[in-house]
Amino acid sequence: MKARFCAVKKTIIVVGGGLAGLVTANILARAGIACTVIEKKEYPFHRVCGEYVSNETLPFLKSLGLFPEELNPIQINRFQLTSVNGKSAELPLGLGGFGISRFSFDQFLYQKAKSNGAEFLLKTEVDSLHFTGDGFEIRTRDKQMEADIVVGTFGKRSKLDVSLNRDFIHQRSPYVGVKYHIRTDHPSDLIALHNFQDGYCGISNIEEGKSCLCYLTHRNNIKDFGSIKEMEENALFKNPFLKSIFSNSDFLFDKPETINEVSFEIKKPVENHIMMSGDAAGMITPLCGNGMAMAIHSAKVLSELVKDFYNEKITRNKMEQKYLLQWNSLFAKRLWAGRQIQKLFGSGRASDFAVNLARQAKPVAKFLISKTHGNPF
Ligand SMILES: Cc1cc2nc3c(=O)[nH]c(=O)nc-3n(C[C@H](O)[C@H](O)[C@H](O)COP(=O)(O)OP(=O)(O)OC[C@H]3O[C@@H](n4cnc5c(N)ncnc54)[C@H](O)[C@@H]3O)c2cc1C
């Protein structure tokens, strides 16, 4: 009798359970491939994010049962832009998007991944990752593990970036993100982006009649004014739209969610043989409202290649090369466009120019928006 060749099963560890990690876990688990997600926090939890998800993700999410219909996401298809001094323009959003809190969306994807068979190690932070030649050693505070494949979905900035000595980590980034959930009178189909000196603030609706109010600013802005509250009253309130929102809303958090050192530097999507996805591979400026779609899309592309490597259809080298090619062709130009468009925000003159462009040259404005977005996948 012929001996049947039986491939030794590879172990897969996904580091970071945000959107990219949770989508990867769902895809692999649904294909019957065991994987463990290591996440430093415990679900559900809030994150700094504008919580507007581009509709380009809909076909994919629906095909895997990952669209959170039961949470009543809000459909959004109008875009309002205001300048630092309150000039306003409106544009249709083309494909549009949906509003859902990360608190609920991530919890939903986590439950789905668990029921699909993915394993989770929560409240566990990975301290170091080391490629040994044919696999990885992974260290947490009290565990050492081994894996054949590591998927890096640890977000925009992690202590792992430091331990891996990634290039971008040596550049300090001046951006700070601040987020609130509020109850206010905001039209449900509208996402608005309001400029203020050295920053911009998005508002759009999420589930349960709430709105997400989220802004990005320069850390010196907070330093100069002394506190977030002082900065809001003295810089954000100069835009009458922001003054009105802040003055006429119920704020639902005791204090805002904040993050520092938000970086848009170029990163490598594969580093030390770690397959990176989502913000760990490259982060788009938040004004594009496309980071979550990119996290989901890159997780899809990556997972298909990981499946092929797992099933011994391709070598590790081929998996990495193919991923780099696909990642660059799908996302590199979008990240570049996002960085250029960001220059039109956060200053009086540039934001006036952007609003005038949106009012008087709608096709150009629509073209610029389209450059930061992808096609449905
Ligand atoms: C101010 C702001 C507003 C934004 N608004 C929008 C928007 O409206 N629409 C949009 O599409 N995108 C938006 N984005 C971008 C979007 O939030 C990100 O692109 C998206 O969250 C990326 O998902 P991710 O899975 O890569 O990372 P994340 O969702 O950040 O997940 C990373 C996970 O890794 C975990 N982790 C990190 N290090 C470790 C470790 N060492 N061990 C274990 N776990 C670890 C973290 O706890 C986290 O859960 C915004 C971003 C900012 C900063």
Side-chain angles (χ1 to χ4, degrees):
M1 211 170 75
K2 256 197 208 165
R4 284 247 298 286
F5 174 72
C6 178
V8 180
K9 282 193 177 156
K10 297 182 177 70
T11 49
I12 305 179
I13 286 187
V14 177
V15 182
L19 272 187
L22 290 168
V23 167
T24 303
N26 271 290
I27 298 176
L28 296 178
R30 278 173 59 98
I33 297 176
C35 66
T36 303
V37 180
I38 307 181
E39 166 54 51
K40 69 178 179 188
K41 296 194 176 168
E42 190 175 27
Y43 306 101
F45 59 94
H46 291 289
R47 298 171 191 274
V48 174
C49 181
E51 306 187 323
Y52 163 88
V53 190
S54 162
N55 275 342
E56 72 198 63
T57 58
L58 284 183
F60 168 74
L61 291 176
K62 287 186 174 170
S63 72
L64 292 193
L66 300 180
F67 180 65
E69 189 85 65
E70 69 220 47
L71 301 174
N72 300 319
I74 306 296
Q75 278 305 318
I76 298 167
N77 49 35
R78 282 191 301 137
F79 173 58
Q80 182 193 22
L81 180 65
T82 74
S83 65
V84 170
N85 52 23
K87 265 194 196 165
S88 168
E90 216 182 286
L91 284 173
L93 255 186
L95 205 53
F98 62 92
I100 181 101
S101 71
R102 292 296 299 270
F103 188 88
S104 303
F105 195 20
D106 289 19
Q107 166 77 0
F108 170 85
L109 293 173
Y110 161 63
Q111 294 293 356
K112 287 274 177 190
K114 269 210 315 190
S115 63
N116 282 323
E119 301 278 331
F120 281 81
L121 272 181
L122 299 180
K123 296 208 285 196
T124 307
E125 183 164 19
V126 174
D127 292 327
S128 70
L129 290 170
H130 177 61
F131 186 68
T132 55
D134 61 351
F136 295 85
E137 273 173 14
I138 298 121
R139 280 175 199 269
T140 68
R141 198 173 61 185
D142 39 35
K143 270 199 187 78
Q144 184 171 333
M145 288 165 274
E146 289 181 355
D148 299 294
I149 304 166
V150 167
V151 177
T153 47
F154 36 81
K156 38 192 97 39
R157 201 174 187 93
S158 163
K159 76 185 208 192
L160 271 178
D161 294 311
V162 180
S163 82
L164 290 166
N165 199 21
R166 298 185 78 191
D167 286 346
F168 82 93
I169 208 79
H170 303 296
Q171 323 274 344
R172 285 213 70 192
S173 170
Y175 296 110
V176 178
V178 179
K179 177 179 108 170
Y180 301 94
H181 281 173
I182 58 175
R183 281 194 199 281
T184 195
D185 188 13
H186 181 77
S188 76
D189 60 343
L190 182 77
I191 180 164
L193 204 56
H194 301 298
N195 279 275
F196 59 92
Q197 193 57 49
D198 291 327
Y200 52 83
C201 178
I203 176 167
S204 51
N205 286 355
I206 53 170
E207 72 278 8
E208 294 172 358
K210 292 181 273 191
S211 306
C212 175
L213 183 68
C214 184
Y215 61 84
L216 193 77
T217 189
H218 201 285
R219 68 163 170 267
N220 287 346
N221 218 11
I222 304 179
K223 232 195 211 161
D224 291 349
F225 287 108
S227 70
I228 286 184
K229 192 164 185 302
E230 290 287 323
M231 177 190 65
E232 286 168 353
E233 287 175 4
N234 290 291
L236 278 75
F237 283 21
K238 294 220 164 102
N239 180 327
F241 287 92
L242 284 174
K243 186 171 185 186
S244 164
I245 294 167
F246 273 83
S247 314
N248 298 303
S249 306
D250 289 335
F251 281 72
L252 306 176
F253 296 160
D254 293 338
K255 57 182 177 58
E257 284 290 312
T258 56
I259 39 161
N260 295 309
E261 300 267 354
V262 182
S263 165
F264 309 110
E265 295 290 329
I266 293 169
K267 299 175 181 172
K268 290 185 186 138
V270 179
E271 215 161 330
N272 295 338
H273 302 277
I274 302 162
M275 304 283 286
M276 313 276 185
S277 160
D279 286 353
M283 185 176 174
I284 192 160
T285 53
L287 67 95
C288 303
N290 221 237
M292 287 194 272
M294 282 181 45
I296 295 170
H297 199 169
S298 61
K300 173 182 184 250
V301 171
L302 179 148
S303 304
E304 293 307 323
L305 292 167
V306 166
K307 274 199 236 168
D308 284 350
F309 176 54
Y310 181 91
N311 291 320
E312 307 199 331
K313 290 187 183 159
I314 53 174
T315 60
R316 186 187 296 279
N317 240 342
K318 244 305 144 307
M319 167 177 76
E320 294 177 3
Q321 282 169 12
K322 281 187 157 193
Y323 183 57
L324 272 177
L325 274 175
Q326 291 188 36
W327 194 94
N328 278 314
S329 90
L330 282 168
F331 306 120
K333 278 196 193 133
R334 241 196 270 184
L335 292 183
W336 180 85
R339 281 193 292 270
Q340 307 316 309
I341 293 177
Q342 165 129 317
K343 292 178 187 155
L344 293 176
F345 289 77
S347 96
R349 225 187 273 165
S351 68
D352 266 347
F353 173 75
V355 169
N356 286 336
L357 190 77
R359 276 182 179 173
Q360 288 154 21
K362 283 201 162 59
V364 179
K366 281 189 201 156
F367 173 77
L368 289 177
I369 293 178
S370 75
K371 286 287 138 202
T372 64
H373 281 64
N375 296 320
F377 60 89

